[in-house]
């Protein structure tokens, strides 16, 4: 069985009892970053063997993991933070396992998308999650489509691209209200709620730090 285990997005206490038990009981843990995973595993005294599974994993490694599953091994898939499959390489393994009729078991937990929505003050009954915007190809086309979008929009962004994205949003969407959620569940957690133009002015003066979720 392949367990899709959600892990903390910041605060290590944000993990479920079921997730801890699962990580202890499976035969292997497939982690996006094995060194990063060890921080969590050490805290909860989880000694399960860990193998890497990330965006640069070649096809032979993927097939090796699938073969282990076909041989009856139980594997827990974890990402660097949050729920595997959301803007990380887990999707390929999940679809490959499904193709082999391997049972998938989700272990729900933290999600930066939902946490940011709750913090934002924006409508949550319908929303459009986009992950990271394309860097080049398709970026302008997507932004033009968003101009007519009436639902709440959720976007991930990194500190070194936040100003570029904010300027693009201002150009294509206009000066809308935005909530910029940063370092969710961590010590410096904050939500900046303002106009897009005000956010640009803020981060022009203040160096962007941490990981961002933009809710528009």
């Amino acid at each position: 069985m392949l367990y899709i285990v959600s892990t903390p997005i910041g605060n290590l206490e944000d993990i479920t009892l079921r997730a801890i038990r699962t990580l202890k009981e499976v035969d292997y843990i497939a982690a996006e970053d094995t060194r990063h995973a060890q921080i969590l595993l050490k805290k909860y005294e989880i000694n399960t063997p860990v193998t890497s599974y990330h965006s640069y994993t070649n096809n032979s490694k993927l097939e090796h993991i699938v073969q282990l599953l076909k041989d009856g091994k139980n594997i827990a898939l974890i990402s660097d933070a949050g729920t595997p499959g959301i803007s990380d390489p887990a999707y390929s393994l999940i679809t490959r396992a499904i193709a082999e009729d391997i049972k998938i078991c989700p272990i729900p937990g933290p999600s930066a998308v939902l946490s940011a929505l709750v913090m934002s003050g924006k409508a949550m009954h319908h929303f459009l999650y986009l992950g990271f915007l394309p860097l080049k190809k398709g970026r302008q086309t997507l932004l033009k489509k968003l101009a007519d979008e009436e639902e709440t929009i959720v976007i991930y962004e990194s500190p070194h691209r936040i100003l570029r994205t904010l300027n693009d949003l201002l150009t294509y969407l206009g000066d809308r209200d935005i909530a910029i959620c940063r370092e969710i569940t961590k010590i410096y957690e904050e939500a900046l709620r303002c106009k897009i133009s005000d956010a640009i002015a803020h981060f022009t003066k203040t160096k962007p730090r941490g990981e961002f979720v933009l809710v528009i």
Side-chain angles (χ1 to χ4, degrees), residues 180-184 188-191 203 209-213:
I180 302 178
C181 303
R182 184 181 75 90
E183 295 292 85
I184 299 173
Y188 298 106
E189 173 186 277
E190 67 176 356
F203 288 113
R209 297 181 185 277
E211 298 301 319
F212 294 87
V213 184

Side-chain angles (χ1 to χ4, degrees), residues 37-57:
Q38 287 300 334
I39 298 172
L40 176 69
L41 302 181
K42 184 178 179 180
K43 178 177 176 61
Y44 290 103
E45 300 180 345
I46 298 168
N47 300 310
T48 305
V50 180
T51 187
S52 63
Y53 184 78
H54 46 71
S55 56
Y56 300 105
T57 296

Side-chain angles (χ1 to χ4, degrees), residues 80-171:
D80 284 347
T83 302
I86 307 297
S87 293
D88 69 33
Y91 177 72
S92 297
L93 179 55
I94 293 171
T95 55
R96 185 72 182 84
I98 291 172
E100 293 291 339
D101 202 28
I102 295 166
K103 187 174 181 180
I104 306 292
C105 180
I107 309 296
S111 168
V113 176
L114 298 180
S115 297
L117 277 167
V118 170
M119 296 172 67
S120 71
K122 295 281 188 177
M124 293 179 282
H125 57 290
H126 289 103
F127 65 91
L128 174 63
Y129 167 71
L130 297 174
F132 290 94
L133 294 177
L135 296 180
K136 294 180 180 179
K137 186 178 180 180
R139 184 181 179 94
Q140 188 179 67
T141 300
L142 176 58
L143 287 165
K144 286 180 178 179
K145 289 182 179 179
L146 294 180
D148 297 322
E149 183 59 59
E150 296 181 356
E151 295 183 344
T152 299
I153 302 168
V154 184
I155 297 171
Y156 283 169
E157 197 48 274
S158 62
H160 62 279
R161 290 197 301 264
I162 184 73
L163 275 172
R164 176 196 175 191
T165 294
L166 287 171
N167 277 290
D168 284 347
L169 291 173
L170 180 62
T171 299

Side-chain angles (χ1 to χ4, degrees), residues 2-23 29-30 36 40-41 44 46 75-86 88 90 94 105-115:
L2 178 61
Y3 293 89
I4 312 302
V5 182
S6 299
T7 54
I9 58 177
N11 192 316
L12 293 183
E13 294 181 358
D14 293 336
I15 188 168
T16 67
L17 295 174
R18 186 183 178 202
I20 294 172
R21 177 176 58 79
T22 300
L23 293 173
I29 295 171
H36 181 81
L40 176 69
L41 302 181
Y44 290 103
I46 298 168
I75 297 177
L77 178 63
I78 63 173
S79 64
D80 284 347
T83 302
I86 307 297
D88 69 33
I94 293 171
C105 180
I107 309 296
S111 168
V113 176
L114 298 180
S115 297

Side-chain angles (χ1 to χ4, degrees), residues 17-37:
L17 295 174
R18 186 183 178 202
I20 294 172
R21 177 176 58 79
T22 300
L23 293 173
K24 287 183 176 181
E25 292 180 353
V26 294
D27 298 296
Y28 299 97
I29 295 171
E32 186 176 2
D33 183 331
T34 56
R35 289 176 298 178
H36 181 81

